[in-house]
Amino acid sequence: MHIVRFVPTAGDRPLVGVTDGSTVTELTGSLGELLRLPAAELRDRCLAADGSRHDVTAVRVLPPADGRMEVWAAGVTYRRSREARMTESERSADVYEQVYDAERPELFFKSAAWRVTGAGEHVAIRADSAIDVPEPELGLVLNRHAEIVGYTVVNDMSSRTIEGENPLYLPQAKTYLGGCAAGPAVRPAWEVPDPYALDIELTIRRDGDVAWAGRASTGQLHRRLDDLVGYLFRADAFPDGAILATGTCLVPELPFTLAGGDEITITIAEIGTLTSTVVVGRDPMAWLAEDGAPR
Protein backbone atom coordinates (compact mmCIF):
# COMPACT_ATOMS: atom_id res chain seq x y z
CA MET A 1 0.00 0.00 0.00
CA HIS A 2 1.06 3.58 -0.69
CA ILE A 3 -0.62 6.85 0.29
CA VAL A 4 -0.67 9.14 -2.73
CA ARG A 5 -1.67 12.69 -3.61
CA PHE A 6 -3.11 12.88 -7.09
CA VAL A 7 -5.30 14.66 -9.61
CA PRO A 8 -7.63 12.62 -11.84
CA THR A 9 -7.00 13.14 -15.55
CA ALA A 10 -10.43 14.71 -15.89
CA GLY A 11 -10.17 16.78 -12.71
CA ASP A 12 -8.36 19.82 -11.35
CA ARG A 13 -8.59 19.34 -7.58
CA PRO A 14 -5.86 17.56 -5.62
CA LEU A 15 -7.06 14.45 -3.81
CA VAL A 16 -5.46 11.90 -1.53
CA GLY A 17 -5.92 8.15 -1.54
CA VAL A 18 -4.30 4.76 -1.10
CA THR A 19 -3.07 2.66 -3.99
CA ASP A 20 -2.22 -0.97 -4.48
CA GLY A 21 -0.35 -0.22 -7.70
CA SER A 22 -3.31 -0.59 -10.03
CA THR A 23 -6.16 1.29 -8.35
CA VAL A 24 -6.28 4.47 -6.27
CA THR A 25 -9.03 4.59 -3.63
CA GLU A 26 -9.90 8.06 -2.36
CA LEU A 27 -9.60 9.10 1.27
CA THR A 28 -11.44 12.03 2.81
CA GLY A 29 -9.45 15.22 3.35
CA SER A 30 -5.97 16.33 2.37
CA LEU A 31 -2.64 14.75 3.25
CA GLY A 32 -2.05 17.50 5.79
CA GLU A 33 -5.41 16.73 7.42
CA LEU A 34 -4.55 13.04 7.59
CA LEU A 35 -1.26 13.89 9.28
CA ARG A 36 -3.17 15.58 12.09
CA LEU A 37 -4.32 12.11 13.16
CA PRO A 38 -2.48 9.82 15.58
CA ALA A 39 -0.66 7.00 13.81
CA ALA A 40 -3.13 4.31 14.86
CA GLU A 41 -6.09 6.31 13.58
CA LEU A 42 -4.32 7.07 10.31
CA ARG A 43 -3.65 3.37 9.82
CA ASP A 44 -7.29 2.50 10.44
CA ARG A 45 -8.41 5.19 8.00
CA CYS A 46 -6.12 3.86 5.26
CA LEU A 47 -7.03 0.22 5.77
CA ALA A 48 -10.75 1.04 5.67
CA ALA A 49 -10.56 3.26 2.54
CA ASP A 50 -13.81 2.93 0.58
CA GLY A 51 -14.00 6.12 -1.49
CA SER A 52 -14.19 6.53 -5.25
CA ARG A 53 -11.74 4.44 -7.22
CA HIS A 54 -9.47 5.49 -10.08
CA ASP A 55 -7.26 3.49 -12.39
CA VAL A 56 -3.64 4.52 -11.79
CA THR A 57 -3.26 5.25 -15.50
CA ALA A 58 -5.98 7.89 -15.19
CA VAL A 59 -4.36 10.03 -12.47
CA ARG A 60 -1.43 12.42 -12.21
CA VAL A 61 0.63 11.89 -9.08
CA LEU A 62 1.51 14.96 -7.01
CA PRO A 63 4.32 15.45 -4.47
CA PRO A 64 3.47 14.06 -1.01
CA ALA A 65 3.37 17.51 0.61
CA ASP A 66 0.57 20.04 0.81
CA GLY A 67 -0.92 22.86 2.82
CA ARG A 68 1.20 23.88 5.79
CA MET A 69 3.54 20.90 5.50
CA GLU A 70 7.26 21.59 5.39
CA VAL A 71 10.31 19.62 4.35
CA TRP A 72 13.28 19.63 6.72
CA ALA A 73 16.58 17.83 6.35
CA ALA A 74 19.36 16.37 8.45
CA GLY A 75 22.99 16.75 7.45
CA VAL A 76 26.20 14.76 7.99
CA THR A 77 24.32 11.66 9.12
CA TYR A 78 26.41 9.25 7.02
CA ARG A 79 30.19 8.92 6.93
CA ARG A 80 30.15 9.50 3.14
CA SER A 81 28.37 12.81 3.63
CA ARG A 82 30.87 13.85 6.27
CA GLU A 83 33.77 13.02 3.94
CA ALA A 84 32.22 14.91 1.02
CA ARG A 85 31.54 17.99 3.12
CA MET A 86 35.09 17.96 4.49
CA THR A 87 36.57 17.60 0.99
CA GLU A 88 34.65 20.51 -0.48
CA SER A 89 35.22 22.75 2.58
CA GLU A 90 38.89 22.48 3.41
CA ARG A 91 38.96 25.70 5.44
CA SER A 92 36.16 24.49 7.73
CA ALA A 93 36.47 20.72 7.49
CA ASP A 94 36.60 20.33 11.26
CA VAL A 95 33.06 21.74 11.52
CA TYR A 96 31.65 18.69 9.74
CA GLU A 97 33.76 16.33 11.82
CA GLN A 98 32.29 17.91 14.94
CA VAL A 99 28.72 17.69 13.63
CA TYR A 100 29.11 14.02 12.72
CA ASP A 101 30.18 13.11 16.25
CA ALA A 102 28.02 15.58 18.18
CA GLU A 103 24.99 14.58 20.23
CA ARG A 104 22.86 17.26 18.53
CA PRO A 105 22.25 16.59 14.81
CA GLU A 106 22.39 19.18 12.05
CA LEU A 107 18.83 20.06 11.02
CA PHE A 108 17.82 22.69 8.50
CA PHE A 109 14.71 23.91 6.69
CA LYS A 110 14.59 22.60 3.13
CA SER A 111 11.29 23.58 1.49
CA ALA A 112 7.72 24.73 1.90
CA ALA A 113 5.18 22.31 0.42
CA TRP A 114 4.42 24.49 -2.59
CA ARG A 115 8.06 24.43 -3.73
CA VAL A 116 8.35 20.62 -3.72
CA THR A 117 8.29 18.90 -7.11
CA GLY A 118 7.20 15.32 -7.68
CA ALA A 119 7.89 12.27 -9.78
CA GLY A 120 8.48 13.07 -13.45
CA GLU A 121 8.87 16.80 -12.82
CA HIS A 122 11.91 19.08 -12.78
CA VAL A 123 14.59 19.98 -10.28
CA ALA A 124 16.94 22.89 -10.80
CA ILE A 125 20.60 23.72 -10.40
CA ARG A 126 21.50 27.27 -9.48
CA ALA A 127 22.86 29.47 -12.25
CA ASP A 128 25.42 30.95 -9.83
CA SER A 129 26.95 27.59 -8.90
CA ALA A 130 29.55 25.53 -10.73
CA ILE A 131 29.16 22.16 -9.00
CA ASP A 132 25.71 20.80 -8.17
CA VAL A 133 24.60 17.32 -7.16
CA PRO A 134 21.48 15.40 -6.16
CA GLU A 135 21.35 13.89 -2.69
CA PRO A 136 19.14 10.78 -2.44
CA GLU A 137 17.60 10.50 1.01
CA LEU A 138 15.06 8.49 2.94
CA GLY A 139 12.28 10.89 3.91
CA LEU A 140 10.38 10.39 7.17
CA VAL A 141 6.72 11.38 6.90
CA LEU A 142 5.75 12.72 10.31
CA ASN A 143 2.36 13.51 11.79
CA ARG A 144 1.69 16.42 14.13
CA HIS A 145 2.30 14.11 17.08
CA ALA A 146 5.97 13.51 16.11
CA GLU A 147 5.23 9.94 15.02
CA ILE A 148 6.85 8.40 11.94
CA VAL A 149 3.79 7.33 9.95
CA GLY A 150 5.47 6.71 6.59
CA TYR A 151 8.48 7.00 4.33
CA THR A 152 9.11 8.62 0.98
CA VAL A 153 12.01 9.35 -1.38
CA VAL A 154 13.60 12.81 -1.21
CA ASN A 155 16.07 14.46 -3.57
CA ASP A 156 17.86 17.10 -1.50
CA MET A 157 19.50 19.06 -4.31
CA SER A 158 22.72 20.77 -3.27
CA SER A 159 25.20 23.35 -4.54
CA ARG A 160 28.63 22.10 -3.52
CA THR A 161 30.20 25.30 -4.84
CA ILE A 162 28.22 27.60 -2.55
CA GLU A 163 28.34 25.48 0.57
CA GLY A 164 32.03 24.80 0.05
CA GLU A 165 32.80 28.51 0.17
CA ASN A 166 31.41 28.84 3.69
CA PRO A 167 29.23 26.59 5.89
CA LEU A 168 27.04 29.61 6.66
CA TYR A 169 25.96 29.63 3.01
CA LEU A 170 24.12 26.34 3.58
CA PRO A 171 20.62 27.90 3.16
CA GLN A 172 21.56 29.23 -0.30
CA ALA A 173 23.12 25.92 -1.25
CA LYS A 174 20.05 23.97 -0.18
CA THR A 175 16.93 26.13 -0.30
CA TYR A 176 15.94 27.58 -3.65
CA LEU A 177 13.24 27.23 -6.31
CA GLY A 178 13.56 23.75 -7.78
CA GLY A 179 15.85 22.50 -5.03
CA CYS A 180 13.63 19.77 -3.58
CA ALA A 181 11.77 16.79 -5.02
CA ALA A 182 9.87 14.10 -3.14
CA GLY A 183 7.66 11.13 -3.89
CA PRO A 184 6.19 9.52 -5.70
CA ALA A 185 4.10 8.46 -2.68
CA VAL A 186 4.21 7.58 1.02
CA ARG A 187 4.84 4.00 2.10
CA PRO A 188 3.11 3.53 5.46
CA ALA A 189 5.52 2.89 8.33
CA TRP A 190 3.54 -0.15 9.46
CA GLU A 191 4.48 -1.88 6.18
CA VAL A 192 8.24 -1.30 6.50
CA PRO A 193 9.65 -3.76 9.06
CA ASP A 194 13.20 -2.35 9.17
CA PRO A 195 13.93 1.19 7.92
CA TYR A 196 17.63 0.62 8.70
CA ALA A 197 17.94 -2.07 6.00
CA LEU A 198 16.81 -0.28 2.84
CA ASP A 199 18.97 -0.21 -0.29
CA ILE A 200 19.31 3.21 -1.95
CA GLU A 201 20.28 3.56 -5.60
CA LEU A 202 21.14 6.72 -7.52
CA THR A 203 21.52 6.85 -11.31
CA ILE A 204 22.25 9.99 -13.33
CA ARG A 205 21.77 9.71 -17.09
CA ARG A 206 23.09 12.20 -19.61
CA ASP A 207 22.13 12.00 -23.28
CA GLY A 208 20.85 8.48 -22.65
CA ASP A 209 24.05 7.19 -21.07
CA VAL A 210 24.82 6.60 -17.39
CA ALA A 211 26.97 9.51 -16.20
CA TRP A 212 27.13 8.39 -12.58
CA ALA A 213 25.62 5.60 -10.49
CA GLY A 214 25.97 4.42 -6.93
CA ARG A 215 24.37 2.24 -4.32
CA ALA A 216 24.27 2.34 -0.52
CA SER A 217 22.01 1.41 2.39
CA THR A 218 20.24 3.06 5.29
CA GLY A 219 22.16 0.57 7.39
CA GLN A 220 25.05 3.05 7.13
CA LEU A 221 23.07 5.74 8.93
CA HIS A 222 24.98 7.21 11.87
CA ARG A 223 21.86 8.53 13.63
CA ARG A 224 18.66 6.96 14.99
CA LEU A 225 15.53 8.08 13.17
CA ASP A 226 13.57 8.73 16.35
CA ASP A 227 16.48 10.83 17.62
CA LEU A 228 16.32 13.07 14.53
CA VAL A 229 12.54 13.44 14.94
CA GLY A 230 12.92 14.26 18.62
CA TYR A 231 15.29 17.12 17.91
CA LEU A 232 13.06 18.46 15.11
CA PHE A 233 10.03 18.63 17.40
CA ARG A 234 11.97 19.70 20.50
CA ALA A 235 11.17 23.40 20.08
CA ASP A 236 8.87 23.51 17.06
CA ALA A 237 5.42 22.37 15.92
CA PHE A 238 4.09 20.96 12.66
CA PRO A 239 0.28 21.04 12.79
CA ASP A 240 -0.11 19.44 9.33
CA GLY A 241 2.89 17.16 9.62
CA ALA A 242 6.27 17.33 7.93
CA ILE A 243 8.81 15.42 5.88
CA LEU A 244 12.27 15.00 7.36
CA ALA A 245 15.01 13.96 4.92
CA THR A 246 17.55 11.90 6.84
CA GLY A 247 20.80 12.67 5.01
CA THR A 248 22.65 11.21 2.10
CA CYS A 249 25.11 8.35 1.66
CA LEU A 250 25.58 8.79 -2.10
CA VAL A 251 27.54 11.83 -3.25
CA PRO A 252 29.21 11.92 -6.71
CA GLU A 253 32.92 12.52 -6.44
CA LEU A 254 34.36 15.92 -7.34
CA PRO A 255 34.48 17.41 -9.92
CA PHE A 256 31.24 15.76 -11.13
CA THR A 257 28.36 18.17 -11.57
CA LEU A 258 24.84 17.96 -12.91
CA ALA A 259 23.96 19.54 -16.24
CA GLY A 260 20.73 20.69 -17.79
CA GLY A 261 18.81 17.77 -19.27
CA ASP A 262 20.25 15.16 -16.90
CA GLU A 263 17.79 12.57 -15.62
CA ILE A 264 18.06 11.68 -11.93
CA THR A 265 16.58 8.39 -10.72
CA ILE A 266 16.50 7.54 -7.02
CA THR A 267 15.19 4.19 -5.85
CA ILE A 268 14.77 3.20 -2.21
CA ALA A 269 13.80 -0.44 -1.68
CA GLU A 270 10.25 -0.90 -0.36
CA ILE A 271 9.58 2.84 -0.69
CA GLY A 272 9.60 3.77 -4.39
CA THR A 273 11.39 5.40 -7.31
CA LEU A 274 11.66 9.17 -7.85
CA THR A 275 12.73 10.45 -11.26
CA SER A 276 13.44 14.11 -12.07
CA THR A 277 14.91 16.05 -15.00
CA VAL A 278 17.41 18.85 -14.40
CA VAL A 279 16.92 22.43 -15.58
CA VAL A 280 19.24 25.40 -15.05
CA GLY A 281 18.30 28.54 -13.15
CA ARG A 282 15.14 29.97 -11.66
CA ASP A 283 13.11 30.83 -14.76
CA PRO A 284 12.24 27.22 -15.78
CA MET A 285 10.83 26.69 -12.28
CA ALA A 286 8.72 29.86 -12.21
CA TRP A 287 5.56 27.79 -12.67
CA LEU A 288 5.83 26.68 -9.05
CA ALA A 289 5.04 30.23 -7.90
CA GLU A 290 2.09 30.70 -10.29
CA ASP A 291 -1.56 30.28 -9.34
CA GLY A 292 -3.77 27.69 -10.99
CA ALA A 293 -1.70 24.52 -11.16
CA PRO A 294 -2.94 21.90 -8.65
CA ARG A 295 -0.19 21.27 -6.12
Side-chain angles (χ1 to χ4, degrees), residues 24 81 118 152 187 209 223 289:
V24 180
S81 177
T152 193
R187 184 72 187 274
D209 297 323
R223 300 275 184 177

Side-chain angles (χ1 to χ4, degrees), residues 49-261:
D50 61 357
S52 299
R53 297 189 175 188
H54 307 263
D55 190 284
V56 292
T57 62
V59 305
R60 179 166 68 89
V61 175
L62 299 174
D66 65 7
R68 293 188 294 172
M69 288 181 65
E70 298 174 350
V71 179
W72 284 67
V76 201
T77 56
Y78 290 85
R79 180 171 294 276
R80 177 69 186 102
S81 177
R82 184 200 66 168
E83 293 170 350
R85 294 272 196 95
M86 292 175 68
T87 298
E88 71 194 16
S89 307
E90 293 183 3
R91 288 177 296 177
S92 51
D94 60 330
V95 170
Y96 298 108
E97 182 75 32
Q98 293 172 29
V99 168
Y100 184 78
D101 293 324
E103 178 181 353
R104 180 184 295 274
E106 176 194 13
L107 297 174
F108 57 89
F109 175 78
K110 178 64 182 180
S111 179
W114 67 269
R115 287 194 183 95
V116 181
T117 59
E121 296 184 328
H122 291 139
V123 290
I125 54 178
R126 292 183 59 125
D128 59 351
S129 174
I131 298 179
D132 305 89
V133 293
E135 295 190 3
E137 307 190 13
L138 176 67
L140 310 180
V141 181
L142 312 173
N143 64 9
R144 71 179 300 165
H145 308 286
E147 296 174 298
I148 301 172
V149 297
Y151 304 96
T152 193
V153 182
V154 175
N155 181 356
D156 173 20
M157 295 286 288
S158 183
S159 164
R160 298 190 72 175
T161 298
I162 293 174
E163 186 176 358
E165 291 176 2
N166 191 312
L168 295 182
Y169 294 163
L170 176 70
Q172 296 177 73
K174 293 285 192 177
T175 306
Y176 59 90
L177 203 61
C180 180
V186 177
R187 184 72 187 274
W190 59 85
E191 293 195 349
V192 181
D194 187 359
Y196 299 98
L198 304 177
D199 289 336
I200 303 177
E201 297 181 11
L202 168 64
T203 303
I204 302 170
R205 291 183 174 84
R206 182 171 297 163
D207 299 325
D209 297 323
V210 175
W212 196 90
R215 182 173 182 173
S217 168
T218 56
Q220 301 165 251
L221 188 63
H222 182 60
R223 300 275 184 177
R224 298 294 299 178
L225 301 179
D226 55 351
D227 182 55
L228 295 175
V229 175
Y231 273 97
L232 181 65
F233 277 76
R234 179 172 288 196
D236 212 340
F238 301 90
D240 285 357
I243 295 174
L244 175 59
T246 55
T248 190
C249 48
L250 289 170
V251 182
E253 298 81 4
L254 291 171
F256 180 90
T257 185
L258 290 168

